[in-house]
Amino acid sequence: MLNQMPTGMEVMVTAPHYLASSAGARILEQGGNAYDAAIAVSAALAVVYPHMTGLGGDAFFLMYNAESGQLTGYNGSGRSAGMLTREMFESMSLNSIPKRGVLSALTVPGMVDTWWEVSQKFGRLDWFKLLAPAVNYAEKGCPVSRNLREWMLKDEQLIREDQGLSSIYLKDGDLLQEGDLLVQKELADSLKTLQSGGKDAFYKGELAVRMTDSITKDGGFLQREDFERHAGEWTQPISTTYRDYEVYQMPPNSQGFSVLMMLNMLEHTQVSKVDRLSSSYYHLMTEVTKKAFHDRDRYLTDPDFREIPLKELLSKTYAKKRWEEIKRSPNQAVPALSKAMGQDTAYAAVVDSEGNAVSFIQSLYFDFGSAYMAGDTGIILQNRGSFFSLDEREPNVLEPGKRSFHTLMPGMVFKEGKPYLLLGTQGGEGQPQTQLSLLTGVLDYGYSIQEAISLPRWVYGRTWGEDGDELKLEQRFDETVLAELEEMGHKVRALGPWDGLMGQAQGIMVLENGMLSGAADPRGDGAAIGW
């Protein structure tokens, strides 16, 4: 199951779909830099991985500029409709926001704005060229991948219920098969409109009008004014030290700080002395996850609406306190209940010959997002807003013009002041945990990035419809590991040896000699390309 791990001397690009990686590689060959290639990869993923991402979703970019030596981030998450309040749902006799359909499409998509702003600030090639691979894949078609076919089967009812989705994913009344040609003419037209009109075409022009007209007709909340007001945010990444490294994440409303909290706790023990495939390792990782998730769920929201005590949460003093709590019951699982959330995401990374590095991630939130296509645009809208709470006591309560608690969290690790590791993964609650698996795999156990991605993974948390948390494990070890975890008090569920529920991670490692090692997850359809 191990993918080939290419090593490049100049450039590297990795993505969860090989056609997206190819798009980025072509842009680099044409003289583009890492920013250009990242936009091309991101746009291509919106076409070839439509169940995971799209123009109707959000994106977060974490970027290192080799010339200035600066690391910066762009928060491309959208805000809720300006006229929308929780009382409006209560007036419809709803005690929670619907998870699918037009009523779940509550936040403005931020990804197109992200592409434009990154391109204008750091890009080298013409904007038109960056979207050309995506236009080609949409207009001429691309083969249905293994992963897309699996999610189509899972979501067949949703596909059949939406006219736009069914027109694309059904042929003669049946779902497309793996390897069938997926043609998205309407999406191609929308991408062409973006090529000629730029960001304004999406937020102030033709596409904005067509999307909001459709939303209004179908009973949704987003208005033309919401699109016109949208603006992403240039932001300063947050970080912590771990061993001899500096680990960076995006600040809230991203959940990135949760993995930094986990690392701060783990500094109080020698992780490398714990067998990576033992029950002790999985128990330890699950317990630090519970501590971090407790604080994440207590505080995470849009920082424009509520103060988040980030300095305290990321302090080494606070981490020691949390670690001491774990030590009191070293072999006993502490009961906890996490938030249930979606897992639809696509992560990719690019490093160019100048040393520029882009770690980025994008999403529709759930698989196929809201499962609602906005009119004849070919654009599936995200359902990120469905994660808002209608409970006014919750930090993530729905309010007008607010960004939701966000699962997206691209990561980057520095060694001696320079990028050493770019990493990220698909998943909701799984994102910080899989990053923790990769980080400990590389930084503690000395694995290559491909070896770390290919290690058996775990995900602790709750899926929709469950009233308790469970610890899911890829079953590639002795049965006694499961039994020992159950004895510790964990509710354990064994999954397949390479299970899709573990998400798809990608990564790039900058080796000491300057070589670039790229890796794609064998659980997905991706590839790393470098030279």
Side-chain angles (χ1 to χ4, degrees):
M1 289 296 291
L2 286 179
N3 284 1
Q4 182 181 4
M5 182 177 64
T7 301
M9 297 175 288
E10 298 181 15
V11 303
M12 185 63 63
V13 55
T14 182
H17 194 292
Y18 62 93
L19 289 179
S21 299
S22 298
R26 290 204 298 274
I27 291 296
L28 291 170
E29 285 181 326
Q30 293 171 23
N33 58 22
Y35 310 101
D36 296 318
I39 294 165
V41 169
S42 182
L45 283 169
V47 177
V48 302
Y49 243 36
H51 55 309
M52 292 292 142
T53 181
L55 272 65
D58 288 342
F60 283 68
F61 275 49
L62 188 57
M63 298 160 282
Y64 173 77
N65 185 271
E67 182 178 359
S68 66
Q70 298 297 308
L71 182 68
T72 189
Y74 195 84
N75 179 335
S77 61
R79 299 178 184 275
S80 61
M83 51 80 75
L84 184 60
T85 65
R86 62 184 181 84
E87 288 83 6
M88 295 173 72
F89 283 100
E90 292 171 353
S91 69
M92 293 185 282
S93 300
L94 295 172
N95 55 19
S96 64
I97 299 170
K99 301 295 180 248
R100 303 284 194 171
V102 72
L103 293 182
S104 71
L106 309 180
T107 58
V108 178
M111 190 159 71
V112 171
D113 167 78
T114 305
W115 297 344
W116 180 261
E117 294 301 321
V118 171
S119 173
Q120 296 304 299
K121 185 165 185 173
F122 292 118
R124 180 178 298 151
L125 295 186
D126 182 74
W127 165 260
F128 189 93
K129 289 184 178 179
L130 306 184
L131 303 189
V135 170
N136 184 62
Y137 293 148
E139 187 169 44
K140 296 182 180 179
C142 60
V144 172
S145 70
R146 176 191 61 181
N147 193 258
L148 173 54
R149 169 63 181 176
E150 290 172 354
W151 283 101
M152 286 165 56
L153 286 169
K154 176 180 178 293
D155 294 325
E156 181 173 0
Q157 183 177 347
L158 292 171
I159 289 171
R160 291 185 180 278
E161 289 174 352
D162 184 83
Q163 183 178 351
L165 292 174
S166 60
S167 69
I168 293 172
Y169 298 103
L170 297 178
K171 182 179 180 181
D172 298 327
D174 295 321
L175 288 174
L176 294 176
Q177 299 290 322
E178 181 179 348
D180 283 351
L181 195 64
L182 173 66
V183 178
Q184 302 172 78
K185 293 287 189 183
E186 293 176 340
L187 182 59
D189 290 342
S190 292
L191 285 163
K192 289 178 182 178
T193 300
L194 290 180
Q195 277 185 305
S196 59
K199 161 184 163 179
D200 283 351
F202 191 87
Y203 294 100
K204 298 179 180 180
E206 175 189 345
L207 288 175
V209 172
R210 289 162 59 194
M211 284 188 288
T212 54
D213 282 353
S214 174
I215 291 168
T216 299
K217 177 178 68 70
D218 294 328
F221 299 107
L222 286 172
Q223 304 290 310
R224 202 169 304 172
E225 293 78 12
D226 297 314
F227 278 75
E228 291 174 352
R229 283 194 296 261
H230 175 78
E233 179 183 19
W234 290 100
T235 187
Q236 188 62 37
I238 57 176
S239 67
T240 194
T241 56
Y242 183 70
R243 316 301 184 198
D244 297 323
Y245 305 90
E246 191 86 12
V247 184
Y248 290 92
Q249 291 286 332
M250 292 289 288
N253 54 321
S254 165
Q255 67 167 334
F257 71 90
S258 63
V259 76
L260 302 183
M261 294 181 67
M262 296 174 198
L263 292 173
N264 283 342
M265 284 181 263
L266 289 177
E267 273 198 319
H268 293 280
T269 190
Q270 288 185 288
V271 175
S272 60
K273 299 295 184 183
V274 181
D275 183 350
R276 174 56 181 78
L277 301 182
S278 68
S279 59
S280 296
Y281 174 84
Y282 294 112
H283 170 72
L284 176 61
M285 297 301 137
T286 303
E287 294 310 300
V288 298
T289 294
K290 289 176 182 178
K291 295 295 184 184
F293 279 9
H294 176 271
D295 289 320
R296 178 201 66 177
D297 295 349
R298 180 181 179 186
Y299 293 112
L300 183 55
T301 187
D302 185 340
D304 290 346
F305 283 72
R306 192 170 298 196
E307 185 177 353
I308 302 171
L310 203 57
K311 185 176 180 179
E312 177 189 355
L313 294 175
L314 293 181
S315 71
K316 300 294 186 178
T317 301
Y318 187 72
K320 185 176 182 181
K321 175 186 173 184
R322 295 303 247 164
W323 177 252
E324 291 297 329
E325 293 170 1
I326 293 173
K327 280 180 62 180
R328 291 183 200 133
S329 304
N331 296 311
Q332 184 63 43
V334 175
L337 188 63
S338 65
K339 290 181 178 291
M341 58 189 70
Q343 63 170 0
D344 144 46
T345 315
Y347 170 83
V350 182
V351 177
D352 66 23
S353 59
E354 299 166 27
N356 300 308
V358 184
S359 175
F360 60 105
I361 192 165
Q362 56 201 70
S363 172
L364 290 171
Y365 189 45
F366 277 23
D367 33 293
F368 294 104
S370 63
Y372 170 78
M373 190 168 283
D376 60 355
T377 62
I379 298 172
I380 304 171
L381 296 180
Q382 64 184 352
N383 64 331
R384 179 68 57 179
S386 69
F387 195 54
F388 280 120
S389 172
L390 296 181
D391 184 345
E392 61 182 345
R393 297 168 297 180
E394 291 280 333
N396 197 46
V397 62
L398 175 63
E399 298 174 82
K402 186 177 184 179
R403 295 172 297 184
S404 173
F405 170 128
H406 225 295
T407 53
L408 297 187
M409 46 176 291
M412 198 177 296
V413 178
F414 276 33
K415 182 179 181 181
E416 298 176 353
K418 295 287 183 66
Y420 171 66
L421 187 65
L422 287 71
L423 74 162
T425 183
Q426 177 197 37
E429 74 284 352
Q431 285 191 47
Q433 297 177 74
T434 294
Q435 282 204 29
L436 189 64
S437 176
L438 304 188
L439 288 165
T440 57
V442 173
L443 307 183
D444 287 298
Y445 293 99
Y447 290 119
S448 70
I449 182 58
Q450 183 68 72
E451 289 170 333
I453 286 174
S454 301
L455 286 167
R457 292 213 286 261
W458 81 93
V459 170
Y460 155 81
R462 181 162 60 111
T463 53
W464 293 111
E466 295 181 343
D467 57 6
D469 287 348
E470 64 180 6
L471 176 58
K472 305 177 186 70
L473 293 152
E474 285 185 319
Q475 179 58 305
R476 277 188 271 150
F477 40 72
D478 191 278
E479 290 283 349
T480 57
V481 172
L482 297 177
E484 289 169 356
L485 287 166
E486 287 175 342
E487 287 177 9
M488 294 177 188
H490 295 282
K491 180 183 176 183
V492 181
R493 176 153 66 102
L495 302 179
W498 300 88
D499 203 289
L501 284 176
M502 294 295 120
Q504 301 165 34
Q506 272 66 235
I508 297 175
M509 182 186 291
V510 182
L511 306 178
E512 290 185 6
N513 60 4
M515 296 284 197
L516 302 168
S517 176
D521 202 315
R523 301 166 185 83
D525 302 313
I529 301 174
W531 59 83

